[in-house]
């Protein structure tokens, strides 16, 4: 099939000017351009706000928003409407934000901070709703005196670890435990907007543990995204017809096509495969990675060139169904009995009756009907193995959790975080270790309550010191002056702190 329908040329003619235009915003150089760790457009916007010494909300509302083409479908609180999943993504908002920034900064390379060139083959919702970051990377940036920045790679949904340090990406502040949006009023890269702690601080040693096991699939997805990010400046990119043409070719070159066979061989559901062939949905990056591995091609080359799909035929072709009739010959029956006895004598416990039958090309129901006793032995042996594995898992995991409770005594994790750390859900945790789960929840609750008390006392002390400072300087402590000097300007939105402020002022004789 002609490749011209799959690609679009991106390079264009640029007229040279004899004079330079003045930009409205600093034309900051993007960090990491042309590499897998190129910063995101959201990171670039935050750095712009910081370099102009203005709040992010003001930059968004007063400068970027008026330069968007489609303002009518967005609210005035633009920095709240645009989340990282839209500005850093590949949709309409991302295109408009990039165009507005290029107009304001007079730069023409900000598309390279996105995956817009690959938008035709990627799913729209590929960015996490909240920020993720690697504390080790932030620490390295600070030690090397670099501008703190956030690579776009961190924000991709499928990416759970940092490929530089092989550390789990954090999704919540280790101090206040709040998830961080991509854009907030007082956003500063590398710092929590709520408690102002540096996100390069790793917390306890247990949280800094490296991944014990990273699947080949995860590593392949990282490598694929890394290649696409480092190739964001390519002068050609796949069009929306690429996916359609790919599945049309598979259909045309495989007359006896089977969606269920393709689904089983690629580990996706038959429904998903059907929607991809019909054009209703786009396949995820994981699918393209598997296809590239089978064809032994880099993902960038696969998308930009036309290739032979012959090697995919065995995955798509309809297989001859194996015999399912209950009638078998005496010779087949004898061979079946020998296979069953040989398996049981081997001491192997890894196969279910279904997998054993499939391995020897028997029908499980036929095996069970002719040899019920031997079949029950296979089933019982597998159940016994799974029971031992579960008991071992419960004992090991319980021991690890109990040990971590001692180590993390001063900074305990919530039940959800603890279960996630050990790869189980909270429902499974309650089922396997009900008493231990109660202890974790109670410890976390008490610690959180203690922290809340400490925060209240800290704010009370700060309010008292500010009032005394103003009083001793002969300045009347107005509510405005107190709030301006407090580390949290909105502290008096809380009724408790308003009453405490008035109490201190009353003690100094300001109210009669």
């Amino acid at each position: 099939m002609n490749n011209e329908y799959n690609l679009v040329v991106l390079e264009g003619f640029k007229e040279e000017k004899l004079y330079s235009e003045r930009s409205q915003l600093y034309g900051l150089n993007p960090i990491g351009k042309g590499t897998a760790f190129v910063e995101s457009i959201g990171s670039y916007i935050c750095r712009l706000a910081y370099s102009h010494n203005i709040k992010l909300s003001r930059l968004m509302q007063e400068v970027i928003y008026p330069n968007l083409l489609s303002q009518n479908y967005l609210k005035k609180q633009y920095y709240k409407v645009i989340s990282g999943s839209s500005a850093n993504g590949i949709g309409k908002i991302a295109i408009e934000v990039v165009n507005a920034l290029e107009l304001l900064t007079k730069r023409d390379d900000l598309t390279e901070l996105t995956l817009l060139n690959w938008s035709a083959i990627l799913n729209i919702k590929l960015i996490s709703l909240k920020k993720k970051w690697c504390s080790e990377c932030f620490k390295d940036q600070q030690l090397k005196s670099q501008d703190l920045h956030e690579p776009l790679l961190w924000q991709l949904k499928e990416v759970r670890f940092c490929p530089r340090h092989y550390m789990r990406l954090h999704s919540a502040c280790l101090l206040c435990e709040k998830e961080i949006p991509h854009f907030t009023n007082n956003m500063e890269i590398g710092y929590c907007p709520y408690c102002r702690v540096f996100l390069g601080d790793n917390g306890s040693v247990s949280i800094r543990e490296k991944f014990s096991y990273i699947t080949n699939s995860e590593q392949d997805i990282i490598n694929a995204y890394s290649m696409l990010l480092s190739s964001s400046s390519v002068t050609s990119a796949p069009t929306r017809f690429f996916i359609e043409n790919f599945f049309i070719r598979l259909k045309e070159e495989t007359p006896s096509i089977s969606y269920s066979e393709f689904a089983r061989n690629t580990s996706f559901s038959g429904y998903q495969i059907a929607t991809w062939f019909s054009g209703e949905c786009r396949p995820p990056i994981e699918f393209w990675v598997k296809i590239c591995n089978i064809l032994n091609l880099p993902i960038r080359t696969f998308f930009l060139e036309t290739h032979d799909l012959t090697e995919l035929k065995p995955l798509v072709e309809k297989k001859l169904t194996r015999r399912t009739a209950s009638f078998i010959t005496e010779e087949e029956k004898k061979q079946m009995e020998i296979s069953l006895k040989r398996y049981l004598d081997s001491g192997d416990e890894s196969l279910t009756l279904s997998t054993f039958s499939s391995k020897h090309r028997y029908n499980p129901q036929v095996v069970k009907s002719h040899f019920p006793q031997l079949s029950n032995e296979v089933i019982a042996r597998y159940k016994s193995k799974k029971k031992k594995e579960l008991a071992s898992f419960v004992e090991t995991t319980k021991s690890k959790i109990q040990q971590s409770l001692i180590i993390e005594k001063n900074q305990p994790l919530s039940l959800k975080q603890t279960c996630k750390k050990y790869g189980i859900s909270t429902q499974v945790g309650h089922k396997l270790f009900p008493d231990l789960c109660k202890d974790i929840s109670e410890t976390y609750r008490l610690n959180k309550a203690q922290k809340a008390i400490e925060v209240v006392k800290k704010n009370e002390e700060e309010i008292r010191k500010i009032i005394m400072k103003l009083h001793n300087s002969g300045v009347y402590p107005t509510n405005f002056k107190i709030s301006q000097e407090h580390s949290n300007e909105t502290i008096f939105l809380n009724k408790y702190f308003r009453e405490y402020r008035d109490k201190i002022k009353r003690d100094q004789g300001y109210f009669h």
Side-chain angles (χ1 to χ4, degrees):
M1 197 164 283
N2 199 326
N3 198 41
E4 65 181 334
Y5 296 108
N6 294 338
L7 299 177
V8 60
V9 177
L10 300 177
E11 59 187 355
F13 173 77
K14 292 183 181 179
E15 182 181 349
E16 291 188 10
K17 294 185 178 180
L18 300 176
Y19 59 92
S20 61
E21 293 184 53
R22 192 182 297 275
S23 64
Q24 191 172 342
L25 295 175
Y26 296 140
L28 296 181
N29 287 323
I31 299 174
K33 196 174 68 169
T35 71
F37 289 89
V38 61
E39 71 173 322
S40 67
I41 201 72
S43 169
Y44 188 78
I45 292 172
C46 290
R47 289 203 301 122
L48 274 176
Y50 184 78
S51 63
H52 284 273
N53 196 27
I54 59 174
K55 290 184 178 181
L56 178 64
S57 56
R58 187 180 171 194
L59 175 68
M60 298 295 284
Q61 291 175 355
E62 298 180 14
V63 184
I64 296 176
Y65 179 84
N67 284 280
L68 297 176
L69 296 176
S70 305
Q71 301 175 28
N72 58 327
Y73 65 91
L74 296 173
K75 298 178 182 176
K76 272 293 181 183
Q77 293 83 2
Y78 189 69
Y79 70 98
K80 292 181 181 177
V81 176
I82 296 186
S83 63
S85 57
S86 53
N88 292 329
I90 54 175
K92 185 177 180 180
I93 293 178
I95 295 171
E96 292 198 9
V97 169
V98 169
N99 288 339
L101 285 172
E102 289 189 340
L103 178 69
L104 293 165
T105 60
K106 301 303 178 187
R107 296 193 67 93
D108 59 359
D109 56 355
L110 298 186
T111 304
E112 297 180 39
L113 309 189
T114 69
L115 284 167
L116 284 171
N117 282 357
W118 307 103
S119 60
I121 47 87
L122 296 174
N123 283 319
I124 293 292
K125 297 181 179 179
L126 53 79
I127 304 294
S128 298
L129 294 177
K130 300 289 184 179
K131 276 193 184 189
K132 295 184 293 182
W133 65 92
C134 171
S135 55
E136 290 294 324
C137 283
F138 274 145
K139 188 185 290 183
D140 288 348
Q141 291 171 17
Q142 192 179 65
L143 289 173
K144 293 175 183 176
S145 300
Q146 297 177 340
D147 286 348
L148 295 180
H149 60 279
E150 298 165 348
L152 178 58
L153 188 65
W154 291 352
Q155 310 311 332
L156 299 171
K157 280 183 179 178
E158 294 97 335
V159 178
R160 300 187 305 118
F161 66 93
C162 172
R164 271 182 177 153
H165 300 99
Y166 287 89
M167 302 278 287
R168 186 183 293 275
L169 293 176
H170 296 297
S171 56
C173 174
L174 297 180
L175 183 61
C176 66
E177 299 180 353
K178 290 183 179 178
E179 292 184 328
I180 301 175
H182 292 271
F183 294 145
T184 61
N185 189 26
N186 296 311
M187 178 61 70
E188 184 178 350
I189 296 176
Y191 293 87
C192 174
Y194 304 110
C195 63
R196 308 306 301 167
V197 70
F198 177 51
L199 299 176
D201 293 334
N202 294 302
S204 63
V205 176
S206 59
I207 296 176
R208 296 176 60 225
E209 285 178 343
K210 291 192 175 183
F211 267 55
S212 56
Y213 179 69
I214 299 169
T215 64
N216 290 333
S217 175
E218 284 181 309
Q219 188 63 63
D220 287 343
I221 289 172
I222 285 286
N223 294 340
Y225 273 128
S226 297
M227 184 172 290
L228 296 182
L229 286 166
S230 58
S231 306
S232 290
S233 59
V234 292
T235 55
S236 59
T239 69
R240 62 187 179 87
F241 297 109
F242 176 89
I243 298 175
E244 181 183 343
N245 291 341
F246 173 80
F247 288 108
I248 288 174
R249 283 185 63 193
L250 276 183
K251 278 183 180 179
E252 291 176 349
E253 296 175 18
T254 315
S256 59
I257 193 167
S258 168
Y259 291 171
S260 59
E261 193 68 28
F262 196 29
R264 187 169 73 252
N265 288 324
T266 54
S267 301
F268 291 97
S269 72
Y271 174 76
Q272 285 177 294
I273 297 291
T275 60
W276 301 341
F277 272 93
S278 66
E280 293 177 47
C281 302
R282 296 177 185 176
I285 191 75
E286 185 183 357
F287 172 77
W288 298 121
V289 167
K290 287 183 178 181
I291 296 299
C292 289
N293 286 341
I294 294 166
L295 298 177
N296 196 25
L297 290 171
I299 195 165
R300 179 180 180 274
T301 307
F302 172 72
F303 286 135
L304 298 182
E305 299 175 13
T306 302
H307 300 282
D308 184 14
L309 303 182
T310 307
E311 291 183 54
L312 297 179
K313 286 184 71 176
L315 305 181
V316 189
E317 282 181 324
K318 189 179 292 184
K319 297 289 188 296
L320 293 173
T321 56
R322 60 178 178 267
R323 189 174 178 175
T324 58
S326 59
F327 174 79
I328 58 173
T329 64
E330 285 300 318
E331 182 62 32
E332 288 175 323
K333 186 175 177 181
K334 185 177 179 182
Q335 188 59 45
M336 191 184 293
E337 184 179 16
I338 291 171
S339 299
L340 275 168
K341 288 181 176 179
R342 188 178 294 159
Y343 170 70
L344 291 170
D345 291 341
S346 70
D348 189 2
E349 300 177 336
S350 62
L351 302 179
T352 62
L353 182 62
S354 177
T355 50
F356 168 82
S357 303
S358 178
K359 184 178 178 182
H360 294 278
R361 301 188 67 79
Y362 300 143
N363 184 289
Q365 297 303 321
V366 175
V367 176
K368 199 166 186 180
S369 64
H370 286 286
F371 304 101
Q373 186 175 349
L374 292 176
S375 298
N376 288 334
E377 283 186 45
V378 173
I379 294 169
R381 180 177 288 191
Y382 181 76
K383 283 185 177 178
S384 174
K385 170 185 171 276
K386 296 304 288 183
K387 193 174 181 180
K388 289 175 188 174
E389 286 179 352
L390 178 62
S392 174
F393 171 78
V394 170
E395 187 178 347
T396 305
T397 306
K398 188 175 182 180
S399 175
K400 286 181 180 178
I401 293 175
Q402 287 173 334
Q403 200 170 16
S404 68
L405 283 176
I406 298 170
I407 296 172
E408 300 163 0
K409 187 176 180 181
N410 296 326
Q411 197 174 12
L413 300 177
S414 66
L415 178 60
K416 184 178 179 180
Q417 289 172 321
T418 303
C419 290
K420 185 178 179 181
K421 180 179 174 182
Y422 293 100
I424 58 175
S425 65
T426 51
Q427 291 86 348
V428 172
H430 278 298
K431 186 177 179 180
L432 298 180
F433 341 96
D435 295 334
L436 190 56
C437 286
K438 287 180 183 177
D439 292 342
I440 294 169
S441 298
E442 184 64 16
T443 303
Y444 179 75
R445 187 188 66 78
L446 292 173
N447 181 266
K448 197 168 182 180
Q450 182 60 36
K451 279 186 178 179
I453 292 170
E454 290 172 2
V455 169
V456 169
K457 288 183 177 178
K458 180 183 174 183
N459 282 317
E460 285 180 348
E461 182 62 19
E462 190 174 352
I463 292 169
R464 190 188 66 79
K465 284 183 178 180
I466 292 170
I467 293 174
M468 293 306 298
K469 175 187 169 185
L470 293 171
H471 174 75
N472 293 334
S473 301
V475 178
Y476 182 81
T478 63
N479 298 340
F480 177 76
K481 286 180 180 177
I482 298 170
S483 63
Q484 283 292 301
E485 291 204 25
H486 199 278
S487 57
N488 180 5
E489 293 182 13
T490 61
I491 186 71
F492 295 124
L493 291 177
N494 188 312
K495 182 181 177 182
Y496 175 83
F497 291 114
R498 291 201 302 271
E499 292 176 348
Y500 181 80
R501 173 198 65 199
D502 294 342
K503 176 182 176 298
I504 299 298
K505 288 173 73 174
R506 193 178 295 108
D507 291 344
Q508 298 304 314
Y510 287 105
F511 297 138
H512 298 288

